[in-house]
Amino acid sequence: MSRPESLTEASALMAEEFDVGPMVGILVGSDSDLERIQPAVDELNERGISNELNVLSAHRDPRGVAEYCSNAAMRGIRVIIAGAGMSAALPGVAAAHTDLPVIGVPLSSSKTAAGGLDAILAIVQMPPGVPVACVSLDGAKNAAILAARILAQGGGYPDAPDRPQAELY
Ligand code: RP5
């Protein structure tokens, strides 16, 4: 095996070698969300944390979301990041189909009724028993950092390889 040139490449090689899925599954409700979720992908890649990004809408493809989230843990995914705008049901529906931690990212959309507040409330106001963490409006980067910190609790995945641990905790 040739020497990987980056953390991202190393992570991809390990996933291939050991036949495991990515550690973080990122979902968005629409193609129109892709630009605003990209900072999460970038942040995870910079940290060498394997991830995959899929467009799956809670309203337009509810069965697809249920199937993805029900199988996620079995595929090795440990955290789900779900971003959506408007009536942002995606993070809640994801959490309804998995015990994995779900981080919701309210996304602004050109069609928002209230500057993104619609998506914020849809993600924050989950009923008891179905928890969803919620970062700020368009807070995709923070979602990735939070995912990294959750992974760090489960057995040593590095939160920030280039920073001393003492600074982190
Ligand atoms: C939500 O509706 C999506 O997450 C997106 O933010 C918004 C608009 O979707 P499109 O009509 O642009 O596909 O479900």
Short mmCIF file of all heavy atoms in Angstrom, two decimals, residues 23-27 65 68-70 72-73 77-83 90-91 94-95 97-104 133 143 147 150:
data_model
loop_
_atom_site.label_atom_id
_atom_site.label_comp_id
_atom_site.label_asym_id
_atom_site.label_seq_id
_atom_site.Cartn_x
_atom_site.Cartn_y
_atom_site.Cartn_z
N MET A 23 -17.45 7.26 9.10
CA MET A 23 -17.84 7.46 10.51
C MET A 23 -18.97 8.47 10.65
O MET A 23 -19.73 8.42 11.61
CB MET A 23 -16.63 7.93 11.31
CG MET A 23 -15.50 6.93 11.31
SD MET A 23 -14.24 7.34 12.49
CE MET A 23 -14.90 6.50 13.91
N VAL A 24 -19.04 9.41 9.73
CA VAL A 24 -20.08 10.45 9.81
C VAL A 24 -20.92 10.41 8.54
O VAL A 24 -20.39 10.44 7.43
CB VAL A 24 -19.46 11.85 9.98
CG1 VAL A 24 -20.56 12.92 10.03
CG2 VAL A 24 -18.62 11.91 11.26
N GLY A 25 -22.22 10.32 8.72
CA GLY A 25 -23.15 10.38 7.60
C GLY A 25 -23.79 11.76 7.56
O GLY A 25 -24.39 12.19 8.54
N ILE A 26 -23.61 12.45 6.46
CA ILE A 26 -24.19 13.80 6.32
C ILE A 26 -25.37 13.71 5.36
O ILE A 26 -25.24 13.15 4.26
CB ILE A 26 -23.16 14.81 5.77
CG1 ILE A 26 -21.89 14.79 6.63
CG2 ILE A 26 -23.76 16.21 5.73
CD1 ILE A 26 -20.76 15.65 6.04
N LEU A 27 -26.49 14.24 5.78
CA LEU A 27 -27.68 14.28 4.93
C LEU A 27 -28.13 15.72 4.75
O LEU A 27 -28.03 16.52 5.68
CB LEU A 27 -28.84 13.52 5.59
CG LEU A 27 -28.66 12.02 5.85
CD1 LEU A 27 -29.88 11.47 6.58
CD2 LEU A 27 -28.41 11.27 4.55
N VAL A 65 -35.04 8.07 3.67
CA VAL A 65 -34.45 8.55 4.93
C VAL A 65 -34.53 7.45 5.99
O VAL A 65 -33.55 7.17 6.70
CB VAL A 65 -35.17 9.82 5.44
CG1 VAL A 65 -34.62 10.25 6.79
CG2 VAL A 65 -35.03 10.96 4.43
N TYR A 68 -31.96 4.71 5.17
CA TYR A 68 -30.57 5.14 5.41
C TYR A 68 -30.28 5.16 6.91
O TYR A 68 -29.26 4.62 7.36
CB TYR A 68 -30.34 6.53 4.81
CG TYR A 68 -28.93 7.04 5.03
CD1 TYR A 68 -27.92 6.77 4.12
CD2 TYR A 68 -28.61 7.77 6.19
CE1 TYR A 68 -26.62 7.21 4.34
CE2 TYR A 68 -27.32 8.20 6.42
CZ TYR A 68 -26.33 7.93 5.50
OH TYR A 68 -25.04 8.36 5.72
N CYS A 69 -31.17 5.77 7.67
CA CYS A 69 -30.91 5.96 9.10
C CYS A 69 -31.01 4.65 9.88
O CYS A 69 -30.27 4.43 10.83
CB CYS A 69 -31.84 7.03 9.68
SG CYS A 69 -31.51 8.63 8.95
N SER A 70 -31.90 3.77 9.46
CA SER A 70 -32.04 2.47 10.14
C SER A 70 -30.79 1.63 9.96
O SER A 70 -30.44 0.84 10.83
CB SER A 70 -33.23 1.68 9.59
OG SER A 70 -34.38 2.46 9.63
N ALA A 72 -27.68 2.89 9.29
CA ALA A 72 -26.44 3.66 9.45
C ALA A 72 -25.50 3.04 10.48
O ALA A 72 -24.30 2.86 10.21
CB ALA A 72 -26.78 5.10 9.83
N ALA A 73 -26.00 2.69 11.66
CA ALA A 73 -25.13 2.16 12.72
C ALA A 73 -24.48 0.85 12.26
O ALA A 73 -23.29 0.61 12.48
CB ALA A 73 -25.92 1.96 14.00
N ILE A 77 -21.42 3.90 10.72
CA ILE A 77 -21.59 5.34 10.97
C ILE A 77 -21.80 5.55 12.47
O ILE A 77 -22.50 4.78 13.12
CB ILE A 77 -22.77 5.88 10.13
CG1 ILE A 77 -22.37 5.89 8.66
CG2 ILE A 77 -23.19 7.27 10.59
CD1 ILE A 77 -23.47 6.29 7.71
N ARG A 78 -21.17 6.60 13.02
CA ARG A 78 -21.29 6.83 14.47
C ARG A 78 -22.01 8.13 14.80
O ARG A 78 -22.49 8.32 15.91
CB ARG A 78 -19.88 6.84 15.11
CG ARG A 78 -19.06 5.60 14.75
CD ARG A 78 -18.65 4.75 15.91
NE ARG A 78 -18.13 5.49 17.02
CZ ARG A 78 -16.83 5.69 17.28
NH1 ARG A 78 -15.93 5.23 16.43
NH2 ARG A 78 -16.44 6.33 18.33
N VAL A 79 -22.08 9.05 13.85
CA VAL A 79 -22.79 10.32 14.05
C VAL A 79 -23.46 10.69 12.73
O VAL A 79 -22.87 10.51 11.66
CB VAL A 79 -21.83 11.47 14.45
CG1 VAL A 79 -22.61 12.76 14.68
CG2 VAL A 79 -21.02 11.13 15.69
N ILE A 80 -24.68 11.22 12.83
CA ILE A 80 -25.35 11.73 11.63
C ILE A 80 -25.48 13.25 11.75
O ILE A 80 -25.90 13.77 12.79
CB ILE A 80 -26.74 11.08 11.46
CG1 ILE A 80 -26.58 9.60 11.09
CG2 ILE A 80 -27.56 11.81 10.39
CD1 ILE A 80 -27.88 8.84 10.94
N ILE A 81 -25.09 13.93 10.70
CA ILE A 81 -25.33 15.38 10.59
C ILE A 81 -26.43 15.54 9.54
O ILE A 81 -26.33 15.00 8.44
CB ILE A 81 -24.05 16.12 10.13
CG1 ILE A 81 -22.97 16.02 11.22
CG2 ILE A 81 -24.36 17.58 9.80
CD1 ILE A 81 -21.62 16.61 10.80
N ALA A 82 -27.50 16.26 9.92
CA ALA A 82 -28.61 16.43 8.97
C ALA A 82 -28.94 17.90 8.85
O ALA A 82 -29.28 18.57 9.83
CB ALA A 82 -29.83 15.64 9.46
N GLY A 83 -28.84 18.41 7.63
CA GLY A 83 -29.11 19.82 7.38
C GLY A 83 -30.34 19.99 6.50
O GLY A 83 -30.52 19.26 5.52
N LEU A 90 -35.95 16.89 8.48
CA LEU A 90 -34.95 15.84 8.25
C LEU A 90 -34.20 15.38 9.52
O LEU A 90 -34.13 14.17 9.77
CB LEU A 90 -33.97 16.28 7.16
CG LEU A 90 -32.90 15.27 6.76
CD1 LEU A 90 -33.52 13.98 6.24
CD2 LEU A 90 -31.98 15.87 5.70
N PRO A 91 -33.65 16.30 10.33
CA PRO A 91 -32.93 15.81 11.51
C PRO A 91 -33.83 15.01 12.46
O PRO A 91 -33.43 13.96 12.97
CB PRO A 91 -32.43 17.09 12.19
CG PRO A 91 -32.39 18.10 11.08
CD PRO A 91 -33.53 17.76 10.18
N ALA A 94 -34.60 11.65 10.97
CA ALA A 94 -33.39 10.81 11.09
C ALA A 94 -33.30 10.23 12.50
O ALA A 94 -33.10 9.03 12.69
CB ALA A 94 -32.14 11.64 10.77
N ALA A 95 -33.49 11.09 13.51
CA ALA A 95 -33.37 10.64 14.91
C ALA A 95 -34.46 9.63 15.26
O ALA A 95 -34.28 8.80 16.15
CB ALA A 95 -33.44 11.85 15.85
N HIS A 97 -35.28 7.25 13.47
CA HIS A 97 -34.95 5.95 12.89
C HIS A 97 -33.58 5.43 13.29
O HIS A 97 -33.08 4.48 12.68
CB HIS A 97 -35.04 6.02 11.36
CG HIS A 97 -36.44 6.11 10.87
ND1 HIS A 97 -37.05 7.30 10.55
CD2 HIS A 97 -37.38 5.15 10.68
CE1 HIS A 97 -38.29 7.07 10.16
NE2 HIS A 97 -38.52 5.78 10.24
N THR A 98 -32.94 6.07 14.27
CA THR A 98 -31.62 5.60 14.69
C THR A 98 -31.37 6.01 16.13
O THR A 98 -31.94 6.99 16.61
CB THR A 98 -30.50 6.18 13.79
OG1 THR A 98 -29.23 5.68 14.22
CG2 THR A 98 -30.45 7.70 13.84
N ASP A 99 -30.50 5.25 16.81
CA ASP A 99 -30.05 5.64 18.15
C ASP A 99 -28.75 6.42 18.09
O ASP A 99 -28.21 6.84 19.11
CB ASP A 99 -29.86 4.40 19.04
CG ASP A 99 -31.19 3.76 19.38
OD1 ASP A 99 -32.21 4.47 19.38
OD2 ASP A 99 -31.21 2.54 19.65
N LEU A 100 -28.21 6.60 16.91
CA LEU A 100 -26.97 7.38 16.78
C LEU A 100 -27.25 8.83 17.13
O LEU A 100 -28.38 9.31 16.95
CB LEU A 100 -26.46 7.32 15.33
CG LEU A 100 -25.98 5.96 14.82
CD1 LEU A 100 -25.73 6.02 13.32
CD2 LEU A 100 -24.74 5.52 15.57
N PRO A 101 -26.22 9.56 17.61
CA PRO A 101 -26.43 11.00 17.83
C PRO A 101 -26.67 11.70 16.50
O PRO A 101 -25.98 11.44 15.50
CB PRO A 101 -25.11 11.47 18.46
CG PRO A 101 -24.14 10.36 18.35
CD PRO A 101 -24.88 9.10 17.99
N VAL A 102 -27.68 12.59 16.50
CA VAL A 102 -28.01 13.35 15.29
C VAL A 102 -27.79 14.83 15.57
O VAL A 102 -28.31 15.37 16.56
CB VAL A 102 -29.48 13.12 14.87
CG1 VAL A 102 -29.84 14.01 13.68
CG2 VAL A 102 -29.71 11.65 14.51
N ILE A 103 -27.02 15.47 14.72
CA ILE A 103 -26.77 16.91 14.83
C ILE A 103 -27.52 17.59 13.69
O ILE A 103 -27.26 17.32 12.51
CB ILE A 103 -25.27 17.22 14.72
CG1 ILE A 103 -24.48 16.44 15.78
CG2 ILE A 103 -25.03 18.72 14.86
CD1 ILE A 103 -22.97 16.50 15.60
N GLY A 104 -28.45 18.45 14.05
CA GLY A 104 -29.23 19.16 13.04
C GLY A 104 -28.60 20.49 12.69
O GLY A 104 -28.09 21.20 13.56
N ALA A 133 -29.44 17.38 18.47
CA ALA A 133 -28.62 18.55 18.80
C ALA A 133 -28.78 19.55 17.67
O ALA A 133 -28.98 19.16 16.52
CB ALA A 133 -27.16 18.14 18.92
N ALA A 143 -21.21 21.84 13.28
CA ALA A 143 -21.77 20.49 13.32
C ALA A 143 -20.64 19.47 13.17
O ALA A 143 -20.61 18.45 13.86
CB ALA A 143 -22.80 20.31 12.22
N ALA A 147 -19.39 16.78 15.89
CA ALA A 147 -19.30 15.36 15.53
C ALA A 147 -17.92 14.82 15.91
O ALA A 147 -17.81 13.72 16.47
CB ALA A 147 -19.56 15.17 14.04
N ILE A 150 -17.82 14.29 19.62
CA ILE A 150 -18.58 13.09 20.01
C ILE A 150 -17.74 11.84 19.71
O ILE A 150 -17.61 10.95 20.55
CB ILE A 150 -19.93 13.04 19.27
CG1 ILE A 150 -20.85 14.16 19.77
CG2 ILE A 150 -20.60 11.67 19.45
CD1 ILE A 150 -22.12 14.36 18.94
#
